[in-house]
Amino acid sequence: MRGTDEVEAYGEVGATLEAACVSVVPTTDVAAVAALWGVDLDAPMEAPEDGPPYETDVLTWQVWFVPVDGHVVVVEDNGYRGNDADLAAAASRLGGGGRVAVAYWNIEAVVTVLCAESGEVLVGPDEVRVGLDAPAAAADVDDLLAPFRRLVEEGDLGPSWVGTALAVAARWTGVPITEDLLDMEGRAVYLVAEE
């Protein structure tokens, strides 16, 4: 599946969460990934049915870690830590180095993509950003995004902007992003606080 069909399919996957940050990290070491995110794996929380926000003095959100095909997929429900270029570069050095992809979207229709490899950010969130205040730099990004440039430039994706970001993440890492990964039910869920 390629192009518009792929984007639409990933758009349906992304609709699972209203706002999220999905990172694909090239390692099987969940503890190392959790440490980068500032999470103590010995301290899972019980996810309240109502979801965020939580009664704390700082902004917090839920995160879970899913091992998939030699990678760890990090899902932040209404969070954004993975969308940090320095964190993504560090994550891409895990497991001997490899490709990290991050798809981020929020409730204000802002969607970004970040791609890193072996410690270097190749496509940053400010280069591929769609939404209310998006710069028009999409035509200048890596060949990875070539199938999506027309859609981004024409602005005809509507709700599939999230599908574009998830499709890029899946292509960059070779790890399909599925609805099951974005579902916290039955998973150990942790609370992440804004730094």
Side-chain angles (χ1 to χ4, degrees), residues 9-193:
Y10 276 115
E12 291 176 19
V13 170
T16 304
L17 295 172
E18 184 177 44
C21 186
V22 177
S23 305
V24 182
V25 182
T27 184
T28 57
D29 188 346
V30 175
V33 175
L36 276 178
W37 263 255
V39 169
D40 177 1
L41 291 178
D42 292 328
M45 64 171 285
E46 291 212 18
E49 291 183 19
D50 294 342
Y54 305 101
E55 300 277 337
T56 66
D57 293 334
V58 296
L59 178 64
T60 59
W61 58 89
Q62 297 169 324
V63 62
W64 55 96
F65 305 90
V66 186
V68 178
D69 298 329
H71 293 74
V72 175
V73 176
V74 183
V75 182
E76 300 174 68
D77 185 5
N78 200 24
Y80 57 85
R81 178 143 318 145
N83 201 40
D84 176 80
D86 292 334
L87 186 139
S92 71
R93 288 189 288 271
L94 292 175
R99 290 180 166 188
V100 165
V102 180
Y104 164 82
W105 64 98
N106 69 22
I107 60 172
E108 296 176 357
V110 173
V111 179
T112 65
V113 174
L114 188 151
C115 297
E117 185 170 15
S118 300
E120 183 179 352
V121 174
L122 303 174
V123 177
D126 292 329
E127 294 171 278
V128 186
R129 178 184 175 96
V130 296
L132 301 176
D133 58 350
D140 298 329
V141 299
D142 185 88
D143 286 341
L144 168 71
L145 303 174
F148 305 106
R149 283 189 189 135
R150 181 189 57 78
L151 297 172
V152 171
E153 289 169 353
E154 292 177 7
D156 63 357
L157 285 177
S160 291
W161 288 118
V162 173
T164 300
L166 289 172
V168 168
R171 281 193 187 188
W172 181 248
T173 62
V175 176
I177 311 296
T178 62
E179 285 184 35
D180 176 62
L181 296 174
L182 275 57
D183 184 357
M184 77 171 77
E185 189 172 332
R187 301 193 191 282
V189 176
Y190 304 87
L191 196 61
V192 174

